[in-house]
Amino acid sequence: MSSSVSPLAPKHVPDMPVIAGVRLATAEAGIRYKNRTDVLLAVMDQGTAVAGVFTKSKCPSAPVEWSRAKLKGGKARALVVNSGNANAFTGKTGRASTALTAKIAAKAVGCSEGEIFLASTGVIGEPLDATKFDGVLGRLAETAEPGDYLAAAKAIMTTDTFPKVATTTVKLGKAKVTINGMAKGAGMIAPDMATMLSFIFTDAPIAPAALQALLKSGVEDTFNAVTIDGDTSTSDTLLAFATGAAAAHGAPKISRASDPRLKAFVKAFNQVLANLSEQVARDGEGARKLVEITVEGAKTKASARKIAMSIANSPLVKTAIAGEDANWGRVVMAVGKAGEPADRDKLSISFNGIRVAKSGARDPSYDEAQVSEAMKAPEIAIKVALGLGKGRDRVMTCDLTKEYVAINGDYRS
């Protein structure tokens, strides 16, 4: 965890309301860090539905394998998250650690081990001593309260410089329902089906299958449209929990994601995902610039996404932005290497609304001083127009600075 907060951090942290059926508690378990919380326990009421999306890495962490397997049951009673140790690339020892953690948590909460969900973040390759949870989880289960999401978000931070939380309320039927979320992540981020760690809680009465469909759809243009460094983590986990408590206040029980009564809820749900994923981009390791890349006029949306990601993951583009240099040549390079349909002579490029290249050449009205001034802004919008079709997409990223190298040069040691 950094001692200095990212200059891109949100200026306002929302007050996080209570969600009926969810209780939270944090503690110092001494997993890796000293003098800071590093374990979170979320306890949910019986009948809570769960959905999840995980990394597509072929080298997933032990907690990812555990939680992915438990999704089949569709119900959750507790979530245990630790920071400092990812419990990834730990072999049989890692699997034993997840089993022991789940056993300890199940005893503390009073449920089956199949209703326990796990997530870990931190160093890869180091064994996780799950015995450190013995006693700790019991105390947390006793003291958990329907409350402090900010403290919960702080407990799961690693190189993050600020806790990431988001909330919204929306009508479902005649009832008001709440959606709260938290996330962690600042590096090793190029989601390929969820990202970093993120947890969503709602009191809406939504069945597991419907919640799963909403989550899978929602991440595509939010978490999956963010990249910091092009590296997909072994631990990416996004879990959503629906306690159903709002049913007592008139919210209809939802069994299908296509239910028309869900329209407003889906919009609000996706807004929370978008908010959290943008906060991740704002907290990119060493970041000083938030970068939005829009590609339009592509053959398809999928093609636009690949080109946008090619630009967003280019070290040359990202370092140019860090240096406040509107180097459109590097953008051209990234478009060309993406392997997607593109016509050099139809290509146009803009930085913060100023067109710098048109029809495959420098824009005739290009003004170096004007563009240089625009590049000093903390938020940079790059727009690429291909002129080939109607495909459009957008991704979020950040610049690449010397601090990123410093953070990752000694992350493990």
Side-chain angles (χ1 to χ4, degrees):
M1 192 194 309
S2 175
S3 58
S4 59
V5 177
S6 168
L8 303 172
K11 304 303 181 186
H12 170 71
V13 179
D15 293 326
M16 302 293 288
V18 166
I19 288 184
V22 179
R23 297 182 294 122
L24 306 168
T26 64
E28 297 180 23
I31 301 299
R32 178 178 173 83
Y33 306 117
K34 294 181 180 180
N35 302 316
R36 58 152 286 190
T37 55
D38 60 1
V39 61
L40 159 68
L41 175 67
V43 182
M44 278 77 71
D45 284 356
Q46 289 185 357
T48 295
V50 61
V53 281
F54 305 89
T55 181
K56 290 182 181 177
S57 169
K58 299 303 181 183
C59 300
S61 68
V64 164
E65 290 183 321
W66 174 277
S67 294
R68 183 184 280 147
K70 303 311 172 190
L71 269 187
K72 297 175 183 178
K75 300 295 181 182
R77 287 296 313 284
L79 166 70
V80 181
V81 189
N82 76 270
S83 58
N85 187 314
N87 194 12
F89 202 65
T90 46
K92 293 181 179 179
T93 299
R95 290 189 286 276
S97 293
T98 58
L100 179 56
T101 303
K103 182 178 181 180
I104 295 170
K107 181 179 179 181
V109 174
C111 67
S112 71
E113 293 170 24
E115 296 174 294
I116 302 295
F117 287 80
L118 308 174
S120 299
T121 180
V123 173
I124 294 172
E126 296 290 337
L128 174 63
D129 182 5
T131 63
K132 291 187 175 182
F133 295 128
D134 201 7
V136 172
L137 295 183
R139 292 196 303 274
L140 292 181
E142 293 175 356
T143 59
E145 297 181 349
D148 200 340
Y149 285 85
L150 196 61
K154 288 179 179 179
I156 64 176
M157 291 165 60
T158 51
T159 58
D160 306 64
T161 70
F162 62 88
K164 301 164 183 65
V165 293
T167 184
T168 191
T169 57
V170 65
K171 290 292 288 292
L172 181 59
K174 297 181 179 181
K176 182 179 75 173
V177 299
T178 301
I179 305 168
N180 284 354
M182 70 181 83
K184 69 80 49 184
M188 197 185 288
I189 291 174
D192 190 8
M193 144 8 229
T195 189
M196 307 75 54
L197 301 184
S198 186
F199 309 106
I200 311 296
F201 302 89
T202 181
D203 53 355
I206 302 178
L211 189 62
Q212 183 68 37
L214 294 184
L215 188 62
K216 185 175 181 180
S217 174
V219 297
E220 285 306 317
D221 289 330
T222 57
F223 279 113
N224 277 1
V226 171
T227 179
I228 300 302
D229 44 27
D231 290 331
T232 297
S233 172
T234 60
S235 306
D236 288 352
T237 298
L238 173 49
L239 295 170
F241 303 93
T243 68
H249 303 287
K253 295 182 179 181
I254 304 295
S255 60
R256 296 177 295 106
S258 59
D259 192 316
R261 294 173 295 181
L262 267 184
K263 186 176 181 180
F265 180 89
V266 171
K267 183 177 180 180
F269 186 79
N270 289 346
Q271 285 175 344
V272 170
L273 296 180
N275 187 316
L276 291 172
S277 60
E278 181 176 311
Q279 288 188 58
V280 170
R282 288 180 175 276
D283 204 18
E285 290 172 340
R288 293 295 177 268
K289 307 276 189 183
L290 178 69
V291 185
E292 179 185 61
I293 298 169
T294 302
V295 174
E296 63 182 24
K299 286 285 189 180
T300 63
K301 175 181 170 65
S303 181
R305 170 65 62 89
K306 290 180 180 179
I307 292 171
M309 279 294 185
S310 179
I311 298 168
N313 284 325
S314 166
L316 289 177
V317 172
K318 293 161 77 71
T319 50
I321 294 170
E324 300 181 343
D325 178 13
N327 192 333
W328 66 85
R330 293 181 175 182
V331 176
V332 173
M333 172 279 300
V335 171
K337 75 169 186 174
E340 292 297 312
D343 184 333
R344 178 198 61 203
D345 296 332
K346 292 183 178 181
L347 193 63
S348 295
I349 301 168
S350 299
F351 286 87
N352 274 6
I354 302 171
R355 194 170 62 192
V356 297
K358 177 186 178 184
S359 302
R362 185 173 70 178
D363 193 287
S365 63
Y366 178 78
D367 183 330
E368 179 74 26
Q370 180 190 29
V371 177
S372 295
E373 184 63 28
M375 294 302 291
K376 294 179 181 179
E379 298 185 11
I380 304 295
I382 298 176
K383 182 177 179 180
V384 174
L386 297 173
L388 300 178
K390 296 182 179 180
R392 185 183 187 279
D393 208 351
R394 151 195 179 280
V395 302
M396 302 294 294
T397 188
C398 60
D399 56 347
L400 179 59
T401 67
K402 293 178 181 178
E403 190 177 352
Y404 178 89
V405 179
I407 291 170
N408 288 285
D410 62 5
Y411 178 69
R412 183 175 176 276
S413 57

